[in-house]
Amino acid sequence: MKKIYYFIILTLVPLFVQEVFPQTTFTVNVANFSFTPAQLTIKVGDTVKWTNSGGLHSVVAEDTSFSSGPVSSSAWTYEHTFNSAGSNPYYCAQHGGVGGAGMSGVITVENATDVSDNGFPIYHFELQQNYPNPFNPSTTIKYSIPESGNVKLVVYNSLGEEVATVVNGFESTGSYKVNFNSYQLSSGIYFYRLKAGTFVEVKKMLILK
């Protein structure tokens, strides 16, 4: 029965071609009991690649949101993509600790500026189709706002009931992309609604589990 249900949904809901999100990869060298650079500022959606050429080291986020695993003296690389703005302090489990003790570093993630993905200024509001779609368990939603103000991005089920608030607060002019995780929701059709000033737009997405 589930297979028939999914087939019907897939027949009714169009599949969207993958967007290519612009992304930059930054390299941090792990050597001589330090991370180089120890302080790094990137944009939302960028990736950081740590490279250990030797030495008993690891990468552990203070909030445990990312980790390279157990300390290892073998040559290794570890990558993590940062999908939300904020400060991300981390340390080596063997030679550092929380609060910037010993071998540690900080990745500062900033939101996009007032330039769109194609490099042109933002002149209008835009809510893009989420990708991937259908998805399980997470998907990315991108939107642009040409003026600063309060922004609210909410997810509703097919009955019009609010099931999640993804964004709710003041944001500056710019292009943004946020990650939505559906781990608490069941399969089905959902809608996400962006309200920024007088701008309101709704799009449909599909969760398949």
Side-chain angles (χ1 to χ4, degrees):
M1 185 65 184
K2 277 188 174 181
K3 289 184 178 179
I4 297 175
Y5 171 72
Y6 292 158
F7 175 77
I8 293 174
I9 293 178
L10 287 171
T11 302
L12 296 176
V13 179
L15 297 177
F16 291 86
V17 180
Q18 179 177 2
E19 277 187 34
V20 179
F21 296 134
Q23 184 186 80
T24 301
T25 298
F26 295 83
T27 299
V28 175
N29 293 317
V30 184
N32 301 320
F33 304 103
S34 64
F35 298 107
T36 306
Q39 307 289 327
L40 184 62
T41 300
I42 64 175
K43 298 293 184 182
V44 170
D46 288 343
T47 296
V48 176
K49 179 180 180 180
W50 287 268
T51 301
N52 180 41
S53 56
L56 193 62
H57 302 305
S58 68
V59 171
V60 182
E62 286 193 7
D63 63 0
T64 70
S65 60
F66 58 90
S67 171
S68 63
V71 292
S72 174
S73 58
S74 301
W76 54 261
T77 60
Y78 169 67
E79 295 185 8
H80 181 74
T81 299
F82 292 84
N83 293 316
S84 59
S87 178
N88 300 272
Y90 66 94
Y91 59 94
C92 169
Q94 184 71 18
H95 303 106
V98 297
M103 186 175 176
S104 60
V106 178
I107 305 297
T108 301
V109 185
E110 298 179 340
N111 280 313
T113 61
D114 57 351
V115 177
S116 63
D117 291 340
N118 58 19
F120 295 105
I122 298 170
Y123 296 114
H124 57 83
F125 291 96
E126 182 182 14
L127 176 63
Q128 297 187 24
Q129 185 64 47
N130 65 298
Y131 180 82
N133 188 44
F135 67 96
N136 176 34
S138 62
T139 188
T140 297
I141 301 172
K142 299 181 69 178
Y143 60 92
S144 298
I145 54 174
E147 56 189 46
S148 301
N150 291 320
V151 175
K152 191 169 186 179
L153 180 62
V154 179
V155 177
Y156 298 88
N157 61 21
S158 58
L159 299 177
E161 300 169 331
E162 182 176 326
V163 296
T165 299
V166 184
V167 177
N168 186 17
F170 182 88
E171 290 189 337
S172 301
T173 302
S175 292
Y176 297 85
K177 62 179 178 180
V178 294
N179 181 267
F180 172 64
N181 195 307
S182 67
Y183 67 95
Q184 291 182 326
L185 302 177
S186 57
S187 298
I189 296 175
Y190 292 82
F191 300 88
Y192 57 101
R193 177 180 183 266
L194 177 70
K195 185 179 188 307
T198 59
F199 173 82
V200 177
E201 188 169 351
V202 178
K203 288 188 179 294
K204 181 167 59 178
M205 60 185 176
L206 175 63
I207 300 174
L208 285 182
K209 294 186 175 179

